[in-house]
Amino acid sequence: MDYILLAPVFAILALLFALYLAMKVLKQSRGTPKMIEISEAIAEGAMAFLKREYRALMVFVVVLFLILTFFLDDKSTAINEGLFTAIAFVCGAILSALAGFIGMKIATAANVRTTHAAQKSLGSALKIAFSSGAVMGLTVVGLGSLGVFTLFTVFNLMAGTETALNLLFGFSLGASSIALFAR
C-alpha cells in the first residue's frame, strides 16, 4: 500500500469533520434578540478587521513573492527554484489566510451560542466552544496537509524528491508568515 496517499484522505476527512462540527455549532440557538444584535456587531467588526489585515498582508505576500522569485534561484537545477518556492509561498499564505477566515467566522458565530448555552449548563457551553475551536484546528491541519501533499506531488514530478522538499519550504514560510502577522 502506498501510505503517502493517506495524507490527502485524512486531510479531506479533517475538513469534512470540521464542516460537520461547524454545522453542529451553527444549529445552536443564538439567544435573545439583544444577544443576536451584539453578536452581529462583533462579527461585522471581526470581518472588517480581517479585510483590513488581509489587504495589508497582500502587499507583504506580493513583495516576498517577487524577492523569492528573483533572488532565490541558484541556477543549479533545471527549474527556477525561486519561482516555484514563491508559488509555494503564495499557496501557503492563501491556505493560512483561508483557515484564519474560517476560524474567525466560526468563532464569532460560536460566541453568542456559547453564551446562550451557558445559561442552561456549563457542559452545553463547553461543547459548543470546544467544537468551534476544533473547527479552526481541523481546518488548519486539513488545508495544510492537502496543500503540502499537492505541492509535493507536483514538484516531485517536475524536479525530483530533493528539489521538491526544498521548494516546500516556501509553503511553510507562507503559512507561518500569515499566522504570525495575524496576531
Side-chain angles (χ1 to χ4, degrees), residues 126-183:
L126 185 59
K127 284 179 185 176
I128 295 170
F130 183 79
S131 293
S132 168
V135 168
M136 177 63 179
L138 289 165
T139 301
V140 168
V141 169
L143 291 175
S145 297
L146 209 51
V148 166
F149 173 80
T150 303
L151 287 172
F152 175 77
T153 301
V154 170
F155 292 157
N156 191 33
L157 291 171
M158 286 174 34
T161 303
E162 187 177 334
T163 302
L165 292 172
N166 288 333
L167 296 175
L168 283 178
F169 284 114
F171 183 86
S172 61
L173 177 63
S176 60
S177 295
I178 300 305
L180 288 173
F181 277 103
R183 294 190 176 264

Side-chain angles (χ1 to χ4, degrees), residues 54-139:
Y54 286 175
R55 199 175 315 133
L57 284 170
M58 197 171 4
V59 173
F60 169 77
V61 169
V62 168
V63 169
L64 202 50
F65 175 85
L66 294 172
I67 290 170
L68 291 171
T69 298
F70 294 112
F71 296 107
L72 191 61
D73 189 30
D74 66 0
K75 312 281 189 247
S76 67
T77 61
I79 66 166
N80 182 334
E81 289 174 310
L83 175 63
F84 289 103
T85 301
I87 289 169
F89 167 77
V90 170
C91 290
I94 288 170
L95 291 179
S96 182
L98 179 60
F101 177 81
I102 292 168
M104 183 70 85
K105 283 297 252 188
I106 194 66
T108 55
N111 286 343
V112 71
R113 290 164 170 86
T114 302
T115 302
H116 181 68
Q119 294 174 341
K120 297 175 188 166
S121 77
L122 185 58
S124 297
L126 185 59
K127 284 179 185 176
I128 295 170
F130 183 79
S131 293
S132 168
V135 168
M136 177 63 179
L138 289 165
T139 301

Side-chain angles (χ1 to χ4, degrees), residues 14-77:
L15 292 171
L16 289 173
F17 192 59
L19 179 62
Y20 163 76
L21 289 175
M23 291 184 341
K24 189 174 158 187
V25 167
L26 294 174
K27 285 183 181 176
Q28 303 303 313
S29 173
R30 293 169 62 195
T32 66
K34 186 67 175 172
M35 292 170 76
I36 293 169
E37 179 186 341
I38 293 169
S39 170
E40 288 172 351
I42 291 169
E44 183 181 333
M47 288 302 110
F49 165 76
L50 274 186
K51 183 178 179 183
R52 193 167 176 85
E53 182 176 70
Y54 286 175
R55 199 175 315 133
L57 284 170
M58 197 171 4
V59 173
F60 169 77
V61 169
V62 168
V63 169
L64 202 50
F65 175 85
L66 294 172
I67 290 170
L68 291 171
T69 298
F70 294 112
F71 296 107
L72 191 61
D73 189 30
D74 66 0
K75 312 281 189 247
S76 67
T77 61

